[in-house]
Amino acid sequence: MKSGLGTPVIVDTDGEIRWVGVSSESSISSAFTNNGFVIGDALSTKVRRLELDGTETTTMPASTYRRFHHNIDAGKTGLLVEMDTFTDRESTIAEFSPDRGFYKEWDFAKIVRDHMAGAGDDPSLFVRPGVDWFHTNATFYDERDDSLLVSSRENFILNADYETGAIRWVLGDPTKYWATFPSLRAKALTLTGGGLYPIGQHSLSVTRDGLILTFNAGNASENQPVGAPRGEQRTYSAVSAYRIDAAAMTATEVWHFDYGQTLYSDHCSSAYEADDHSLLISFARADNRLHARLVGLNSDREVVFDFQYESRGCGTAWNAVPIPLDNMSFD
């Protein structure tokens, strides 16, 4: 569990703590890689490497960025990190490694602005520097088509060409503000056969059977211009899995898990698949934001555990990922 209160915490499927560190610095922006944690600082570009024996090293890579926020995800050759710049908020993704620093960037303010202007729309109505208009909170490198899957919480899931950043398609609620622009609507996938559009989504990945998996939080947009459509608002959160047909410009929600529509987590949270097709879900702000709920599903999507923790905001389990400790080896 990635924590805003200190180091990540590893628990087993009986709820027992298997590992926790001693630092009180936030680990919200973190990834487990090479038997240790890479952690980005929420207030600067400082990067910590935290080993499981407690050893910690710190670096400050040269950059024009201001701070890390939200996820750190596996990239094509390094780690995908979400960064704030000194002019734009939560709309920039970079690829990073501890030895190379920041070596590739996708500025979605520029990418979206150029796309809209090239198609005849006025991008200043949508791309608003300094305003949280995009709010990227998760990224996934999809090797199948050399693309980035990007969660823009305010708008949609976006697929962009890895090399050029060109927008290939978007999947989101067509009653939101973004869909009033023809240039963006032209890239929209149609959701066929009913189901839930992703709204307020967090976490992105591709399952072993090729579906896009996301935590479908269920909350409408929060930072649109006054009077602009905010889209659907649900009373529950779900986990949704989509099959994409990019040639036909369609998406199908193959399945979703909504826990009987009993839990709502408006921000944070995640859903990831383990190697055996089981699922780990973090409802980070459940029960009127009083608890974090860590829920495990087996391969038949039946609940096999449901752990409840006190939480402050997203502090306890902003995001949670399966870690196969049985595959570790140490020198």
Side-chain angles (χ1 to χ4, degrees):
M1 293 182 284
K2 302 177 185 181
S3 171
L5 307 176
T7 71
V9 179
I10 301 176
V11 300
D12 63 24
T13 54
D14 294 316
E16 298 294 331
I17 294 176
R18 298 287 295 274
W19 185 91
V20 64
V22 297
S23 172
S24 61
E25 291 188 64
S26 169
S27 61
I28 281 180
S29 293
S30 62
F32 188 79
T33 178
N34 297 323
N35 290 358
F37 295 97
V38 174
I39 303 171
D41 191 72
L43 301 176
S44 72
T45 57
K46 180 177 73 173
V47 179
R48 293 184 290 147
R49 169 77 193 184
L50 178 60
E51 309 296 345
L52 294 183
D53 65 1
T55 304
E56 183 173 317
T57 55
T58 300
T59 58
M60 185 75 79
S63 76
T64 58
Y65 302 124
R66 187 167 65 86
R67 72 179 187 105
F68 290 83
H69 65 86
H70 291 95
N71 267 19
I72 297 179
D73 296 296
K76 184 174 183 176
T77 58
L79 296 171
L80 296 169
V81 293
E82 286 137 30
M83 308 299 296
D84 271 353
T85 70
F86 287 92
T87 57
D88 285 311
R89 212 180 141 190
E90 301 193 3
S91 60
T92 301
I93 294 167
E95 195 156 22
F96 162 88
S97 70
D99 56 333
R100 296 175 63 186
F102 302 96
Y103 57 87
K104 189 169 178 59
E105 179 185 274
W106 297 266
D107 177 352
F108 282 96
K110 182 179 187 306
I111 290 168
V112 173
R113 187 185 298 118
D114 289 351
H115 169 77
M116 294 181 71
D121 279 339
D122 180 358
S124 68
L125 300 176
F126 186 67
V127 180
R128 291 156 288 141
V131 176
D132 193 13
W133 65 277
F134 194 77
H135 197 99
T136 182
N137 57 26
T139 313
F140 183 86
Y141 172 69
D142 193 344
E143 63 182 8
R144 297 174 301 174
D145 61 356
D146 196 32
S147 70
L148 291 186
L149 295 170
V150 180
S151 170
S152 167
R153 189 201 70 188
E154 284 295 287
N155 305 293
F156 36 53
I157 295 172
L158 180 150
N159 178 287
D161 182 273
Y162 175 87
E163 292 298 336
T164 67
I167 299 171
R168 294 177 176 173
W169 54 258
V170 301
L171 174 62
D173 178 359
T175 67
K176 285 189 173 187
Y177 181 52
W178 67 266
T180 65
F181 297 94
S183 61
L184 297 175
R185 200 165 59 246
K187 293 293 183 179
L189 302 179
T190 299
L191 186 64
T192 62
L196 305 175
Y197 275 102
I199 57 174
Q201 71 281 343
H202 290 72
S203 78
L204 278 178
S205 60
V206 174
T207 66
R208 280 147 188 82
D209 51 358
L211 306 180
I212 293 178
L213 186 71
T214 191
F215 184 90
N216 200 340
N219 54 310
S221 295
E222 299 178 4
N223 293 297
Q224 304 297 356
V226 175
R230 299 175 59 240
E232 182 184 4
Q233 174 69 54
R234 301 187 194 115
T235 59
Y236 64 93
S237 298
V239 176
S240 292
Y242 301 96
R243 177 173 292 113
I244 305 300
D245 186 337
M249 292 295 284
T250 61
T252 304
E253 189 189 41
V254 177
W255 60 264
H256 72 252
F257 172 82
D258 62 20
Y259 219 158
Q261 302 184 7
T262 58
L263 287 179
Y264 175 60
S265 180
D266 57 344
H267 295 96
C268 312
S269 309
S270 62
Y272 291 102
E273 186 183 54
D275 290 339
D276 61 356
H277 298 280
S278 61
L279 292 168
L280 178 64
I281 309 170
S282 169
F283 293 87
R285 296 213 298 187
D287 307 325
N288 293 317
R289 304 181 177 180
L290 296 176
H291 300 120
R293 297 274 289 274
L294 201 65
V295 177
L297 308 182
N298 63 19
S299 58
D300 294 321
R301 295 191 290 280
E302 300 167 327
V303 176
V304 292
F305 63 78
D306 182 344
F307 305 142
Q308 177 176 292
Y309 305 90
E310 291 184 9
S311 186
R312 299 202 302 265
C314 300
T316 298
W318 127 260
N319 199 282
V321 296
I323 295 177
L325 294 179
D326 54 310
N327 290 334
M328 285 187 178
S329 61
F330 295 92
D331 295 329

